[in-house]
Amino acid sequence: MKTSNERPRFRSVPQPFPRAGISAALLTALLVLSTARAQAHVCGDGLFDGTDPAVETCDGTASPAFPPSAPASHGPCRPVGDSCQQCTFCGDGLVQPCEECDDGNADDGDACRNDCTLPPSTTTTTSTTATTVTATTTTTTTTTTTVTATTTTTTSAPVCGNGMVEAGEACDPPGSPCGAFMGVCDVNCQCLPTSSTVTTTTGTTATTTTTATTTSSTTATATATTTSSTTTTTACSPQPENTQAACTNMQDDDCDNLIDCADPDCATVTPCRPARKDPTTVRFSPGLDRFRSQATLDMAPVDVTGARVAVLLTNPNGAIYRGVLAGSALTPSANGTIYRFRDTNARSGGGIYSLKIKQHKDGSGYTFRVESYADLSAATDPLMLVQFYVAQDVFITSPAPWTRIASGWRAPKDH
């Protein structure tokens, strides 16, 4: 039994310490820090190589701070904590909450200005002039009456993304925030160069009544109408399709009817990877036609909820169908491996009816499934291509002819 005067006995265990140089703990910490800096992109860390646009499209603390593809008219790089979207800039081709548009080029005279705002509103004035001349001969009396009516209609520039189809827009689905569109709408609500018609109509009516001294009378009526019509057409203005922004914007920038990865000009700019196992059909119906497609996309994991997802159907004549969604419109599963979107109104109103993106268990890629309803009457050529977009990655089917079936078209499986 121990007494209160006895001291507790402890065994001394020697601890291994390096005798000289850097400690093992410090060396491990430096290795972890170096690996993290090599793998991660952080806004404001002074590092920018343009490989992770989902995190940053520029970095004002780096040199260079912008990608080589940025147009000469680009805006400043937004700093860390910016209320709009940090480490982005006007001209990167991605529409941010504080931007009305962003087409990624230096043309200040197209549908999107170089400060990422829409052109000012326009005013259309239509004038109608009517002239009535009445001449009555009993003695000799002439009465002339001229009436001029002017109608002025003021039309504001359309706001793409406000849920209302306005002049100059082909569509604008309800509830779509700026940058998140459904159905056949692209990022500009199809605000492509359009034709404008100004019609001026002038009508002149003259009535002459002559009464003789006898009981007989003669009435003559003459009507003259002159109509002039002037049509002004804005032709496609070719722009180089050889930048990252131009090769991922779902537009025919160089006016050759070949869009993004379907255009050989993008072969050396955007890594256009194949879309595998893609059973795709186009079914014509009395109402809206149906487009249904599926593909396997081999790619590294990305933050789907923070990315753009889209699908594009084309043939040698240009675009047949575009469907675009912001990743935030998709609902993730509890484990974050499946993302879904559904709009039951699309069957009657047009747009994306359902979209599902499922990550592979081994993390090697995703399965992309989409079903949409739209006017697909332009699908008349068997040489059709489907492109799938996830963030800045673009995947395209191989150019094999489709098969004409009773209800529409079927693409060859895994082509």
Side-chain angles (χ1 to χ4, degrees), residues 3-21:
T3 64
S4 60
N5 294 328
E6 290 182 333
R7 296 183 179 178
R9 297 178 182 177
F10 298 92
R11 174 178 291 180
S12 175
V13 179
Q15 302 295 323
F17 291 95
R19 295 182 178 179

Side-chain angles (χ1 to χ4, degrees), residues 24-350:
L26 178 58
L27 184 59
T28 301
L30 291 175
L31 181 58
V32 172
L33 177 61
S34 175
T35 303
R37 290 179 61 88
Q39 294 179 349
H41 288 270
V42 179
C43 178
D45 60 359
L47 301 175
F48 177 69
D49 56 11
T51 62
D52 200 352
V55 175
E56 56 182 10
T57 59
C58 63
D59 195 322
T61 63
S63 180
F66 297 89
S69 61
S73 61
H74 69 75
C77 186
R78 299 181 178 101
V80 176
D82 188 84
S83 60
C84 177
Q85 180 63 46
Q86 62 183 15
C87 284
T88 62
F89 64 94
C90 175
D92 60 8
L94 302 176
V95 180
Q96 305 299 340
C98 61
E99 299 175 339
E100 295 179 358
C101 59
D102 193 331
D103 56 10
N105 63 41
D107 187 354
D108 197 40
D110 59 7
C112 182
R113 305 179 73 174
N114 287 348
D115 60 356
C116 290
T117 61
L118 296 170
S121 61
T122 58
T123 300
T124 303
T125 302
T126 303
S127 299
T128 303
T129 302
T131 302
T132 302
V133 178
T134 302
T136 302
T137 305
T138 298
T139 49
T140 302
T141 303
T142 301
T143 303
T144 302
T145 303
T146 301
V147 179
T148 301
T150 301
T151 303
T152 301
T153 303
T154 302
T155 304
S156 299
V159 178
C160 188
N162 64 359
M164 296 182 294
V165 178
E166 301 168 306
E169 293 181 339
C171 59
D172 202 325
S176 294
C178 188
F181 303 99
M182 297 177 289
V184 297
C185 293
D186 59 15
V187 294
N188 293 317
C189 284
Q190 288 191 343
C191 296
L192 302 174
T194 56
S195 299
S196 59
T197 303
V198 178
T199 303
T200 303
T201 303
T202 303
T204 302
T205 302
T207 303
T208 303
T209 302
T210 303
T211 303
T213 55
T214 61
T215 58
S216 62
S217 64
T218 301
T219 302
T221 303
T223 303
T225 303
T226 302
T227 301
S228 62
S229 178
T230 302
T231 301
T232 302
T233 302
T234 303
C236 179
S237 177
Q239 301 291 330
E241 194 161 353
N242 56 9
T243 65
Q244 180 74 17
C247 290
T248 58
N249 64 0
M250 305 177 74
Q251 302 290 346
D252 180 17
D253 298 278
D254 54 5
C255 307
D256 61 356
N257 293 334
L258 303 177
I259 301 175
D260 293 353
C261 286
D263 194 327
D265 295 340
C266 293
T268 59
V269 179
T270 300
C272 300
R273 286 173 280 182
R276 300 185 296 106
K277 297 180 181 178
D278 52 322
T280 299
T281 59
V282 169
R283 188 184 71 182
F284 298 120
S285 303
L288 293 175
D289 307 316
R290 188 190 71 188
F291 168 69
R292 180 183 289 170
S293 186
Q294 174 180 324
T296 297
L297 313 180
D298 296 326
M299 60 182 294
V302 297
D303 179 13
V304 176
T305 58
R308 173 194 63 165
V309 293
V311 63
L312 174 66
L313 175 65
T314 64
N315 64 15
N317 298 316
I320 301 173
Y321 171 78
R322 295 181 180 92
V324 186
L325 283 175
S328 57
L330 278 68
T331 301
S333 62
N335 60 3
T337 59
I338 301 177
Y339 303 86
R340 292 185 174 90
F341 171 85
R342 183 176 291 271
D343 177 16
T344 56
N345 296 321
R347 286 184 171 179
S348 58

